[in-house]
Amino acid sequence: MMNTVATKPFDGQKPGTSGLRKKVPVFQQPHYAENFIQSIFDSLDDFAGKTLVIGGDGRYHNREVIQTAIRMAAANGFGRVLTAQGGLLSTPAASHLIRKNGAFGGIVLSASHNPGGPHGDFGIKYNASNGGPAPEKITDRIYECTRVIGTYKISDAAPVDLDRAGTVKVDGMTVEIVDPVSGYSALMQTLFDFDAIRDLIKSGFTLRFDAMSAITGPYAKRILEDMLGAAPGSVVNAVPLPDFGGHHPDPNLVHAKELYDLMMSPKGPDFGAASDGDGDRNLIIGKNQFVTPSDSVAMLAANAHLAPGYAKGLAGIARSMPTSCAADRVAEKLGIKCYETPTGWKFFGNLLDAGLATICGEESAGTGSNHVREKDGLWAVLLWLNILAKRRQSVADIVKQHWQEFGRNYYSRHDYEEVDADAANAMMADLRARLPKLKGEKAGSLTVSAADDFAYHDPVDHSDTAKQGVRVIFDDGSRIVYRLSGTGTAGATLRVYIEKYDAKNLGLETQSALYDLIAFAGNAAQIKQRTGRAKPSVIT
Ligand code: G1P
Ligand code: ZN
């Protein structure tokens, strides 16, 4: 039976760059998730009888909200819900499922790389029919709906057995439960030369993939071990756990330190990789060679033609503004355009839909292509493996040759986490006000040639997005970028991105190569005075 339940708005259900993210106890309040899901439905038109994909990254509270979303989809008039066994879908696999089945949209439950568990983070995101994160005009509408909501609709049908593949009915609506991996692995086989990768592995090439007790475990085990022949045990932490084993499922050098240390040791394998909580981010490390995400986008783009899915070349490359300009150099050489977008994957959607860009990437370990409308961790791993299989060189050699050919963009991000939000906002406001005065100032031998607040004009839908981060640009193209995170759940996170191009000195240590710029960045924004922080919480 369908019920209409009376409710009242909650404060602050404003979806950020990646949906609504809050602590689990916030989501556990009566009506909280229901209000947000109803607001998603209220913001949409003409979905009666259509298909909705629902899935999540398996974190704590996943199953409860999936059951709720299924019962609400039925009561709101969807014709079919598509979900996967255990309700488990990586973000890229959910994107693929939406696209492949011509679904109206999808609800993806995840807080990405944030920790999980009863006191961890949870999130709800809406993806549109192209498989990508909802554009701002939809998320704004969702927010408006959360502010006026008075009732939600929900069926009182019994919970669905999510573990059994097959089709069941919930109050007249069809619920189809599929295997989470098979559709995704079939897509990967169309893009990459699985035979070549299998031969490479057969020749003695070794790898380790750390699934960080998160969603990519089952995907990586099936693809890397079962299909490509990597030795059993090559995929570690392969079982998705509701609390990610108490770890932070963020594939960076802090949280994937064990993998990093192994890759830097003589007994390490040839190739190391990891993915995050919901499977859209990647970490790539060769033997004794970490690949920065910004470099990875550039190197993947430069070599993509070696994979069957990209053999015809790329239409264009897109990178988020704070991502290093390494990809721009590749685009220039390939004679294609490099688009610079605001932070957040949703800005790539229009470029991909319009066929303007093929490969996209962000400095925050997100890389992907037009095969889905989300970034895709395993995709990046497989493209690297495809390139290694064709070039038969080590990761370190490929990286070094790339720098020799294109020069090196030294790059680092300094994060100041959980700083006081008012102090951070005031710091940014002051910095914005002082931008004209920065021109002509010096950082070592470099001079500021321009300083602005990045604004984006979308070449496809012609929308404008302002205030996307402060850029300080130097005469040699070096850059400092400041922005506040849009995904944090406590206080504010200040991100400072520092970049310096060098065509000659290719083997410097990154923080030393950036020394003058780092000092300038601190002084120009008065980070210490404003936030009380003498140094960043995380340096990547
Ligand atoms: C962070 C990353 C950004 C990414 C987003 C979602 O956002 O910096 O590149 O798109 O997570 O994964 P931020 O916290 O910086 O707003
Ligand atoms: Zn993620």
Side-chain angles (χ1 to χ4, degrees), residues 421-439:
D422 291 339
N425 284 317
M427 189 204 89
M428 288 299 289
D430 262 23
L431 180 61
R432 287 189 161 103
R434 270 185 291 112
L435 286 181
K437 292 200 197 118
L438 290 179
K439 213 169 155 188

Side-chain angles (χ1 to χ4, degrees), residues 18 21 57 59 91-92 110-114 125 249 251 275-281 374-375:
S18 313
R21 283 209 191 145
D57 65 4
R59 65 179 56 229
T91 291
S110 165
S112 189
H113 50 290
N114 293 2
K125 180 167 93 155
S275 190
D276 73 330
D278 63 331
D280 57 0
R281 296 188 176 200
E374 291 276 6
K375 53 197 177 224

Side-chain angles (χ1 to χ4, degrees), residues 209-214 216-217 235-240 247 258:
F209 181 91
D210 190 340
M212 304 191 89
S213 307
T216 42
V235 179
V236 297
N237 300 315
V239 178
H247 298 294
E258 213 174 296

Side-chain angles (χ1 to χ4, degrees), residues 261-344:
D261 290 344
L262 177 72
M263 296 308 298
M264 296 302 132
S265 84
K267 61 179 192 322
D270 298 304
F271 182 79
S275 190
D276 73 330
D278 63 331
D280 57 0
R281 296 188 176 200
N282 71 84
L283 169 71
I284 304 289
I285 318 179
K287 210 185 231 328
N288 294 313
Q289 182 69 59
F290 165 62
V291 187
T292 71
S294 290
D295 272 351
S296 185
V297 188
M299 291 166 191
L300 292 178
N303 292 284
H305 61 276
L306 298 173
Y310 308 94
K312 294 203 185 94
L314 310 177
I317 305 174
R319 63 162 175 84
S320 66
M321 183 276 282
T323 303
S324 97
C325 300
D328 303 41
R329 296 178 185 275
V330 174
E332 199 183 335
K333 177 127 190 201
L334 294 175
I336 56 178
K337 221 176 140 140
C338 188
Y339 297 86
E340 187 176 41
T341 61
T343 294

